[in-house]
Amino acid sequence: MPLAQRAPRRAASTALVALLAVAVGCAPQPEDKASGSPSGKGRETGTACAKGALDTRTSGRLTIATDEPAYEPWFKDDKPANGKGFESAVAYAVAKQLGYDSSRVAWQTVPFNKAFAPGEKTFDFDINQVSISAERKKAVDFSSGYYDVRQAVIALKGSKAARAKSLADLKEVKLGAQVGTTSLDYIDDVVKPKQQPAAYAKNDQAKSALKNGQVDAIVVDLPTAFYITAAEVTDAKIVGQFENTTGTPEQFGLVLDKGSALTPCVTKAVDALRADGTLAAIEKQWLSEAVDAPVLK
């Protein structure tokens, strides 16, 4: 009887070992290296920033976005891909710093407001005179600033607005700016005019409104103001620029998807270009005229 009882126990024990082996074989096993996720999030910066091998939207290529039309002096001839104009030159300098030559850069058209709106992006970074702000950072990432900017007022020569010497003088006139810009914010928060400012979808519409007398003056960034008055609305003048009262300069930054693994890489590239003098050289080449204008207080 003892022998007869041992045989079933031995068979049961063998079956248990087999079941355990199967269970262990099916269980998740530790990996030597975690594979990168499609978004590239959570990887070490050193690996994620490997030059020319970033986790970009299209493997092996860097996709850069901007609005259409692409205004001067930021771009030249409405052709972002030609490398001419301040922001086109900056974009290619950043691309080179990241390990992508011009043949591996693809351009994409994205409207200004959509660039920093909530939602997944179709580009690796956007460059379009987008000022860095805490509010916008809730929806997107920014690189470090690549340009310190001032806002300026343009009015037709001989008009009441053109004679303004202070913020108080501007309170009495009809002002306009592109919607969603810090230019419009300056009208609302700094000038605080008595009349509701006009908001336009594009700077072209704001310029047309100025020409047609629908507004007395418009607000744009200072380099754009110099270009408009020199080449587009030649019977207009720069009334003045707003002073920086916060102690922190307004800066344009490259826009990236919220939580993008590329953000530290792009910021590192911008910082390197600032440190080695490249940004200053590009600014001198393309924005040399935007050096001075009366300060409105």
Side-chain angles (χ1 to χ4, degrees), residues 96-159:
K96 183 178 179 181
Q97 193 73 26
L98 293 172
Y100 296 84
D101 61 30
S102 58
S103 66
R104 298 173 67 193
V105 172
W107 285 88
Q108 185 180 99
T109 299
V110 173
F112 178 79
N113 284 332
K114 190 174 180 181
F116 51 86
E120 187 175 358
K121 306 307 175 191
T122 56
F123 51 77
D124 293 311
F125 69 76
D126 179 278
I127 183 167
N128 190 24
Q129 306 112 66
V130 182
S131 295
I132 301 168
S133 73
E135 184 64 28
R136 289 172 178 171
K137 280 184 176 181
K138 294 176 183 178
V140 295
D141 281 357
F142 281 97
S143 70
S144 53
Y146 61 87
Y147 180 67
D148 296 354
V149 65
R150 290 278 189 99
Q151 298 297 319
V153 181
I154 300 173
L156 296 180
K157 295 173 183 176
S159 67

Side-chain angles (χ1 to χ4, degrees), residues 175-188:
L175 299 170
Q178 183 176 345
V179 69
T181 62
T182 50
S183 301
L184 189 58
D185 290 340
Y186 266 78
I187 295 174
D188 289 329

Side-chain angles (χ1 to χ4, degrees), residues 55-240:
D55 188 13
T56 54
R57 292 285 169 180
T58 301
S59 180
R61 297 181 71 82
L62 189 67
T63 302
I64 305 175
T66 196
D67 201 354
E68 187 179 39
Y71 299 109
E72 298 192 26
W74 310 107
F75 299 92
K76 187 74 173 175
D77 301 324
D78 195 17
K79 296 178 180 178
N82 65 14
K84 299 177 181 180
F86 178 76
E87 289 195 326
S88 181
V90 168
Y92 280 114
V94 171
K96 183 178 179 181
Q97 193 73 26
L98 293 172
Y100 296 84
D101 61 30
S102 58
S103 66
R104 298 173 67 193
V105 172
W107 285 88
Q108 185 180 99
T109 299
V110 173
F112 178 79
N113 284 332
K114 190 174 180 181
F116 51 86
E120 187 175 358
K121 306 307 175 191
T122 56
F123 51 77
D124 293 311
F125 69 76
D126 179 278
I127 183 167
N128 190 24
Q129 306 112 66
V130 182
S131 295
I132 301 168
S133 73
E135 184 64 28
R136 289 172 178 171
K137 280 184 176 181
K138 294 176 183 178
V140 295
D141 281 357
F142 281 97
S143 70
S144 53
Y146 61 87
Y147 180 67
D148 296 354
V149 65
R150 290 278 189 99
Q151 298 297 319
V153 181
I154 300 173
L156 296 180
K157 295 173 183 176
S159 67
K160 178 182 177 181
R163 295 191 294 273
K165 302 295 183 184
S166 66
L167 296 178
D169 294 337
L170 292 174
K171 290 182 184 294
E172 305 296 330
V173 302
K174 180 72 173 180
L175 299 170
Q178 183 176 345
V179 69
T181 62
T182 50
S183 301
L184 189 58
D185 290 340
Y186 266 78
I187 295 174
D188 289 329
D189 302 335
V190 178
V191 179
K192 300 178 182 177
K194 294 180 179 180
Q195 300 181 60
Q196 181 72 21
Y200 301 96
K202 300 273 187 180
N203 260 341
D204 278 347
Q205 295 172 356
K207 287 181 287 187
S208 295
L210 179 63
K211 288 181 183 179
N212 298 332
Q214 295 168 300
V215 292
D216 299 309
I218 61 173
V219 177
V220 295
D221 57 77
L222 186 57
T224 299
F226 273 96
Y227 180 76
I228 289 173
T229 54
E232 296 183 317
V233 189
T234 54
D235 59 341
K237 62 171 284 188
I238 297 175
V239 178

Side-chain angles (χ1 to χ4, degrees), residues 20-70:
L20 287 172
V22 171
V24 171
C26 294
Q29 298 299 302
E31 297 176 351
D32 292 335
K33 292 182 180 179
S35 59
S37 64
S39 65
K41 295 176 182 178
R43 296 186 301 175
E44 292 296 325
T45 300
T47 302
C49 294
K51 288 199 171 185
L54 304 180
D55 188 13
T56 54
R57 292 285 169 180
T58 301
S59 180
R61 297 181 71 82
L62 189 67
T63 302
I64 305 175
T66 196
D67 201 354
E68 187 179 39

